[in-house]
Amino acid sequence: MFFSIIIPLYNRPQEIAELLDTLTKQTYTLFEVLVIEDGSVDRAEDIVRGYEGELDVHYYEKPNEGQGFARNFGFERAKGDYFIIFDSDCLIPDDYLEIVNNALANNWLDAYGGPDGAHKSFTAIQKAISYSMTSPFTTGGIRGNKKGIGQFHPRSFNMGISRQAWQKAGGFIITRLGEDIEYSIRIHSLGFKIGLIPDAIVYHKRRTDFVKFYKQLHFFGRARINIYKFFPSQLKLVHFFPAFATLGMAFTIIANIAHWPIAQLCNILLLVYILLIFFHSLIKNKSAKIAFLSIIAAFTQLIAYGLGFMQDFWKRVILKRPLKT
């Protein structure tokens, strides 16, 4: 099978260099790479063209429209039987394409997703953020998990779609704010088979500090409401958890300030939650520093997602205002 790897890029030349370097080491070599520069000011053309001797790589530029439409641009120019999309801040293990090719040969999927993890080269903050996004004690526990809640939805940092499915479903119809989940739901609604390839892991850098991580997760919270506007049935109780947690933390602060009797119970529950995160991360990462940072990452994730979710739930569901990105 011939794969077309499609990577939207916006002002991240160093990241694309690291990603392309990992692709030169793939044990399965029947693939091309399409890099779509989406209106970047800090362009990566020279970096990408520097890999032409090692990869079947193609560089394109287009006006900025967002990652969803940049991927569509790549789909329309891809030659492969199967399209794979990565975020530019991913590192790809050497056997990734071999794993995917074997998995599809043994159990065909019209679209698939894979999990993400932390590479050994990541900083302690990046590893803590990776833990938070994949932990059972945060909303990240439902991502890339065999035991996920409800229908599995591939995410665009690590997602594949067959040419046949693309030809019938078309491309992304929204360019951001949950565009990958909407696309997954639409592909599934057309009768195509979607699943997780659990060993097709990528190392996803995400954000390099907690301020950037907060902004990203606030955006994710808003995106969940955007998906609701397309598919109301896809808004589940689990998606409210970060909002409930955020309100619970606010209530705990108020209870302590007001010296309410319930404050003690709230403090105990909060401490138990903190200890669960710390020791679970400590076991997984074998680092007290990362375990401590995982607490910060988990609370950043919950609060940012919760506030973004509540913001757009109020504006777009209660007040019925149109989307403003």
Side-chain angles (χ1 to χ4, degrees):
M1 183 183 300
F2 188 74
F3 294 103
S4 290
I5 297 174
I6 297 165
I7 307 165
L9 183 63
Y10 182 69
N11 288 333
R12 293 182 178 182
Q14 183 56 41
E15 286 184 351
I16 195 63
E18 294 171 347
L19 193 162
L20 291 176
D21 186 65
T22 64
L23 292 178
T24 65
K25 301 176 176 65
Q26 290 298 302
T27 56
Y28 185 91
T29 58
L30 296 178
F31 68 95
E32 64 173 354
V33 182
L34 292 83
V35 177
I36 316 301
E37 189 91 79
D38 189 35
S40 298
V41 175
D42 194 1
R43 297 165 64 250
E45 181 176 7
D46 291 343
I47 291 173
V48 175
R49 297 201 183 282
Y51 282 89
E52 289 179 343
E54 300 178 81
L55 292 168
D56 180 7
V57 62
H58 309 273
Y59 176 84
Y60 298 96
E61 291 183 87
K62 61 179 291 299
N64 178 257
E65 294 179 292
Q67 62 267 29
F69 295 163
R71 296 178 192 121
N72 290 346
F73 187 96
F75 291 158
E76 293 163 1
R77 289 157 180 79
K79 302 173 184 176
D81 310 301
Y82 214 102
F83 307 150
I84 297 174
I85 54 180
F86 295 133
D87 282 354
S88 63
D89 59 349
C90 288
L91 302 177
I92 315 302
D94 298 356
D95 57 352
Y96 177 92
L97 290 178
E98 186 175 352
I99 288 171
V100 170
N101 188 65
N102 292 339
L104 294 176
N106 294 325
N107 179 29
W108 176 258
L109 295 170
D110 298 291
Y112 77 86
D116 62 331
H119 192 265
K120 61 182 180 181
S121 66
F122 287 5
T123 67
I125 289 179
Q126 287 175 316
K127 289 176 181 177
I129 289 173
S130 179
Y131 166 81
S132 180
M133 289 297 290
T134 56
S135 169
F137 300 114
T138 65
T139 54
I142 64 174
R143 298 165 67 94
N145 191 325
K146 289 182 181 179
K147 299 179 181 179
I149 299 172
Q151 186 186 108
F152 174 68
H153 299 145
R155 305 301 176 99
S156 55
F157 63 83
N158 182 9
M159 178 180 182
I161 176 174
S162 69
R163 175 175 288 276
Q164 182 182 9
W166 167 70
Q167 288 173 336
K168 187 170 182 180
F172 292 87
I173 61 173
I174 51 178
T175 193
R176 53 176 65 89
L177 272 177
E179 79 287 348
D180 49 359
I181 302 176
E182 186 284 327
Y183 197 31
S184 298
I185 296 170
R186 184 155 39 92
I187 293 168
H188 189 276
S189 70
L190 293 171
F192 290 105
K193 185 179 179 181
I194 299 178
L196 171 73
I197 301 180
D199 294 328
I201 189 171
V202 302
Y203 301 117
H204 197 188
K205 293 180 183 177
R206 301 190 185 280
R207 296 300 180 251
T208 55
D209 60 57
F210 290 126
V211 173
K212 293 177 181 177
F213 184 52
Y214 178 92
K215 292 178 180 178
Q216 182 184 47
L217 268 293
H218 187 272
F219 196 79
F220 285 0
R222 295 181 59 214
R224 177 50 61 179
I225 300 302
N226 202 36
I227 295 303
Y228 163 79
K229 300 299 288 187
F230 284 89
F231 303 101
S233 65
Q234 293 296 322
L235 189 62
K236 309 294 185 182
L237 183 62
V238 67
H239 300 131
F240 286 83
F241 173 71
F244 293 154
T246 301
L247 293 173
M249 284 182 270
F251 178 82
T252 298
I253 294 171
I254 294 171
N256 278 279
I257 293 174
H259 301 291
W260 293 342
I262 199 173
Q264 185 175 359
L265 175 61
C266 293
N267 293 336
I268 291 172
L269 292 174
L270 189 60
L271 178 61
V272 169
Y273 183 67
I274 289 171
L275 291 174
L276 284 171
I277 293 171
F278 180 84
F279 285 107
H280 187 255
S281 178
L282 183 64
I283 292 169
K284 288 197 68 175
N285 294 292
K286 298 178 176 58
S287 166
K289 179 180 180 180
I290 295 173
F292 173 75
L293 291 172
S294 294
I295 297 170
I296 300 174
F299 277 87
T300 301
Q301 177 179 338
L302 289 172
I303 293 170
Y305 190 106
L307 290 177
F309 182 94
M310 288 188 287
Q311 170 192 303
D312 274 30
F313 186 87
W314 175 254
K315 290 181 178 179
R316 303 191 62 201
V317 178
I318 304 301
L319 300 182
K320 301 188 183 301
R321 292 178 183 173
L323 171 66
K324 292 183 180 180
T325 56

